[in-house]
Amino acid sequence: MRIDVLTLFPEMFEGPLRASLLGRAIQDGKLDVAVTDIRDFATDKHRTVDDAPFGGGAGMVMKCEPLFAAVESLRGANSIDRIVLLSPKGRRLTQAALRELAQAPDAVLICGRYEGVDERVRDALCTDEISIGDYVLSGGELAALVIIEAVSRLISGVIGDWDSVTTDSFYDGILGPPQYTRPAVFRGMGVPAVLREGNHAAIRRFRRKEALRVTRARRPDLLSACSEEDLDLLAELEREGSESEREKEA
Ligand code: SAM
């Protein structure tokens, strides 16, 4: 997959695109990321990219011309699969949206600054408007990095063991199970015995049940599309809950 980022602050990408799994994926050519300075597409000698809002009001707005020129310079706007405007007003980012984005052969991420981007960029140029959450950042750069890092995990070969992706929270809709590592006892706190007994079927069932337990407690809204097995495990959790209630009362 190829991702082009349009930004006024290319330097914000230097460290994150070099580090860890993402850095390795880019180095190995599994993901191609290019960062372009929007200012390179300004046409006046001051390299102006923003102007005061029509109708008055605070701050500045990013102008159409440099953004249209920047996108059109990238292989012609029609051949780019997804052109994403990062914006707090966009569709909230989810794992499902990332999986969809990771299928695209190429995408452009447009990072806004100031009061945002002239609405005509969104209307005439972008295929998507994405928000990474209900809060306001000073610019779209960190949002773009969130998307790049999360998409990279879904590209074949980036994460060595695909199982670690498929057991992640949200991969199949629910939160992931709790994890433990050595030592087996730390400050009197143990590890569930089933994880140390080597019975893989029992471990798989235990993890699924614990994933459902944590999802039920923290994000019950995610439990809407459960399999038969999940429904059985949820019923089991329900029964255990009522038993422990009865024990407390006794
Ligand atoms: N005035 C805008 C509004 O109220 O919607 C906010 C502009 S914000 C200060 C500047 C830029 O940061 C936006 O154009 C966008 O690119 C980026 N940004 C801010 N919050 C974001 C979020 N939650 N998700 C994605 N991008 C965000």
Side-chain angles (χ1 to χ4, degrees), residues 86-89 111-117 130-133 135-140 143:
L86 281 326
S87 155
K89 292 181 277 193
C111 305
R113 278 271 154 181
Y114 317 123
E115 288 305 312
V117 172
I130 294 182
S131 164
I132 62 161
Y135 43 81
V136 176
L137 302 161
S138 296

Side-chain angles (χ1 to χ4, degrees), residues 26-241:
I26 292 171
Q27 207 179 9
D28 294 348
K30 297 198 170 85
L31 177 65
D32 183 11
V33 181
V35 180
T36 298
D37 191 339
I38 299 165
R39 220 173 270 286
D40 291 345
F41 294 87
T43 49
D44 64 323
K45 73 171 183 207
H46 300 295
R47 308 219 303 152
T48 307
V49 290
D50 58 319
D51 206 336
F54 275 120
M60 301 295 268
V61 176
M62 286 177 70
K63 290 163 66 64
C64 285
E65 300 95 317
L67 282 166
F68 272 75
V71 170
E72 283 158 7
S73 76
L74 304 168
R75 299 152 285 151
N78 291 336
S79 68
I80 300 166
D81 216 55
R82 307 285 290 268
I83 301 180
V84 179
L85 177 65
L86 281 326
S87 155
K89 292 181 277 193
R91 181 165 60 117
R92 187 105 59 87
L93 187 64
T94 60
Q95 191 70 14
L98 285 163
R99 282 167 81 166
E100 203 193 297
L101 194 58
Q103 304 292 321
D106 47 25
V108 176
L109 305 180
I110 300 178
C111 305
R113 278 271 154 181
Y114 317 123
E115 288 305 312
V117 172
D118 188 304
E119 196 70 7
R120 290 167 289 186
V121 170
R122 174 194 181 278
D123 293 346
L125 206 52
C126 296
T127 58
D128 303 78
E129 184 179 14
I130 294 182
S131 164
I132 62 161
D134 290 350
Y135 43 81
V136 176
L137 302 161
S138 296
E141 288 74 13
L142 294 176
L145 282 165
V146 165
I147 291 179
I148 295 169
E149 164 129 349
V151 159
S152 76
R153 291 181 63 77
L154 301 175
I155 292 173
S156 163
V158 170
I159 305 292
D161 184 351
W162 187 245
D163 274 356
S164 84
V165 174
T166 59
T167 54
D168 274 344
S169 292
F170 307 113
Y171 182 84
D172 60 359
I174 65 172
L175 303 181
Q179 302 282 6
Y180 301 88
T181 187
R182 278 181 280 273
V185 180
F186 174 71
R187 297 188 179 176
M189 295 178 282
V191 167
V194 62
L195 296 177
R196 301 171 55 206
E197 287 165 358
N199 179 338
H200 295 294
I203 290 171
R204 197 200 66 77
R205 191 173 187 283
F206 170 82
R207 286 194 167 138
R208 190 69 194 173
K209 186 170 166 185
E210 291 309 302
L212 287 163
R213 187 196 302 276
V214 81
T215 306
R216 190 182 65 156
R218 296 178 200 172
R219 292 290 307 276
D221 57 301
L222 298 175
L223 289 175
S224 52
C226 283
S227 65
E228 283 290 307
E229 188 200 14
D230 286 351
L231 291 173
D232 287 348
L233 290 169
L234 283 165
E236 213 172 289
L237 287 168
E238 211 52 60
R239 284 195 297 278
E240 285 169 13

